[in-house]
Amino acid sequence: MSLTIRVQTADFSLADEYRVLAQDSRCGAVVTFTGLVRELPDAALTAMELEHYPGMTEHVLEQLAQQAQQQWQTGAITIIHRVGKLALNEQIVFVGVAAPHRKAAFAAAMYVMDFLKTQAPFWKQELTASGRYWVAAKASDQEAQQQWQRDA
Amino acid sequence: MSLTIRVQTADFSLADEYRVLAQDSRCGAVVTFTGLVRELPDAALTAMELEHYPGMTEHVLEQLAQQAQQQWQTGAITIIHRVGKLALNEQIVFVGVAAPHRKAAFAAAMYVMDFLKTQAPFWKQELTASGRYWVAAKASDQEAQQQWQRDA
Amino acid sequence: MVKVKFFAALRERLNCAELTLDCGPNETLATLRARLVDLHPSWQTELHDKDVLCAKNFSFCGWQDRVSAGDELAFFPPVTGG
Amino acid sequence: MVKVKFFAALRERLNCAELTLDCGPNETLATLRARLVDLHPSWQTELHDKDVLCAKNFSFCGWQDRVSAGDELAFFPPVTGG
């Protein structure tokens, strides 16, 4: 079953990614998640800059996709994460899952996102009018990941 | 916040629907669900035929979208459901949710799908080589809907 | 008068998509169903199937809900969209 | 020899993206960290920050994991992608 992992500076097309996921004739459900760069509530965000650990990133994402595919018996899974400088409203991350049924497609997409947030070696900097700031890890992301272990 | 409900015979474009959902600058997360007509494991499915109750369908879907938007404080929600004759591999249903964060976007999209399955007056017929068959309601769909009430 | 609609497999089995009926005093979905069976004895089994759902004015309703003149009612099997 | 990489805020604070180090016998991530602090006393606080994560050959690992010649090690702050 096809797994696609891409870490890239270029943008991606949801339509193109969906077309590939929808090709699997055993899969009646396709779930996609897209994350975008958005304004901060309190600061004038102008852009994000994303750094990653080449080699480890791809390895971690590949493992996550494999785990999700096995656990929920899904079809194709695609993970795309952009790095480098991203302007306001640009796309950052895409996770797409095709599965025979909706429950598996939703669960696998959420699992990949929850683990990506805490396990994939990406680091974000916010570029604002007043300077550049490394984003702090969120406790809510740790909790979302740990919830899967409690539920297991 | 924009709610879009469409019941139509025409196909829809995921790319177009996503473009609208991604416009909300407060929403960093967009989740989409697409359901497709697929082969039956045991019968030669040639097409599906979908009937609905005009008036009630739109009313139920609008209420579901409103409930989901309020419960998870989401941005735009779009629900599209096709009716009439749909060939193998055609798109049947689309649910898209924009939200500030991924958890709300995923939850609202799952909520809409789970309630749509048991509350929206659509009925499917499978057209196969050996005849036309009304699809029976699934206990698993009832359970998925009731789970939300237990979790509330 | 009330309008009564039937959908999907139920519509096919009754061979009826829509009819109109006078609305009696103190009418409920249950009394209306009983009157439909009086008019069409062969509908007895189908309309009393425990899975049959009913709606009033585009919302699900119960068999004890009141019916008023002008209401649009509907009877149908469990839904299977999505 | 082992390769050691630093990322993100930690790389900036140490002002070091990558270095190589001899690999001693019975080396662990913890002994290697201690040797880095011997070489760069100003790194003490940063490398002992309880939030610092370590990886060996592209997978997360613990401070007691063994290190062998040829390994690629990395130290970095909690991740914030997605």
Side-chain angles (χ1 to χ4, degrees), chain A residues 57-145:
Chain A
T57 316
E58 294 81 354
H59 180 66
V60 168
L61 295 181
E62 185 110 18
Q63 282 188 318
L64 286 184
Q66 267 170 21
Q67 284 158 11
Q69 195 174 59
Q70 281 164 25
Q71 187 161 349
W72 287 283
Q73 297 289 299
T74 73
I77 296 183
T78 299
I79 308 176
I80 304 173
H81 204 299
R82 293 179 68 196
V83 292
K85 198 163 174 179
L86 299 178
L88 215 53
N89 299 323
E90 283 203 71
Q91 301 184 126
I92 307 172
V93 58
F94 173 84
V95 173
V97 179
H101 300 290
R102 74 185 184 287
K103 198 175 164 174
F106 274 118
M110 288 194 292
Y111 175 92
V112 168
M113 276 308 302
D114 284 349
F115 279 80
L116 182 156
K117 282 267 178 187
T118 57
Q119 305 282 304
F122 293 102
W123 299 274
K124 272 193 195 115
Q125 273 188 100
E126 292 168 349
L127 313 187
T128 74
S130 58
R132 332 159 93 233
Y133 303 94
W134 288 103
V135 171
K138 284 190 217 153
S140 61
D141 286 330
Q142 279 295 335
E143 285 154 17
Q145 185 231 289

Side-chain angles (χ1 to χ4, degrees), chain B:
Chain B
M1 217 74 74
S2 133
L3 295 181
T4 305
I5 308 297
R6 298 209 308 269
V7 180
Q8 61 190 40
T9 53
D11 198 9
F12 54 83
S13 153
L14 185 82
D16 291 349
E17 301 309 326
Y18 170 70
R19 197 170 303 121
V20 172
L21 292 166
Q23 267 167 14
D24 187 336
S25 63
R26 291 152 308 174
C27 291
V30 178
V31 167
T32 73
F33 172 85
T34 311
L36 302 128
V37 180
R38 293 307 194 189
E39 294 176 80
L40 296 174
D42 48 355
L45 184 74
T46 54
M48 286 273 192
E49 180 124 26
L50 272 130
E51 176 176 335
H52 79 123
Y53 180 1
M56 180 167 173
T57 315
E58 295 80 354
H59 180 65
V60 168
L61 295 180
E62 185 111 18
Q63 283 188 317
L64 286 184
Q66 268 170 22
Q67 284 159 10
Q69 195 174 60
Q70 281 164 26
Q71 186 161 349
W72 287 282
Q73 297 289 300
T74 72
I77 296 183
T78 299
I79 307 176
I80 303 173
H81 204 300
R82 293 178 69 195
V83 292
K85 197 163 174 179
L86 300 177
L88 215 55
N89 299 324
E90 283 203 71
Q91 301 184 125
I92 307 171
V93 58
F94 172 85
V95 173
V97 179
H101 300 290
R102 74 186 184 286
K103 198 176 164 175
F106 274 118
M110 286 193 292
Y111 175 92
V112 167
M113 276 308 302
D114 284 349
F115 279 80
L116 182 155
K117 283 267 178 186
T118 57
Q119 304 284 303
F122 293 102
W123 299 274
K124 270 193 197 116
Q125 272 188 100
E126 292 168 349
L127 312 187
T128 74
S130 58
R132 332 159 92 234
Y133 303 94
W134 289 102
V135 171
K138 283 191 219 153
S140 61
D141 287 330
Q142 279 296 335
E143 285 154 17
Q145 185 232 289
Q146 284 159 4
Q147 190 65 44
W148 290 100
Q149 281 142 353
R150 276 196 294 276
D151 291 349

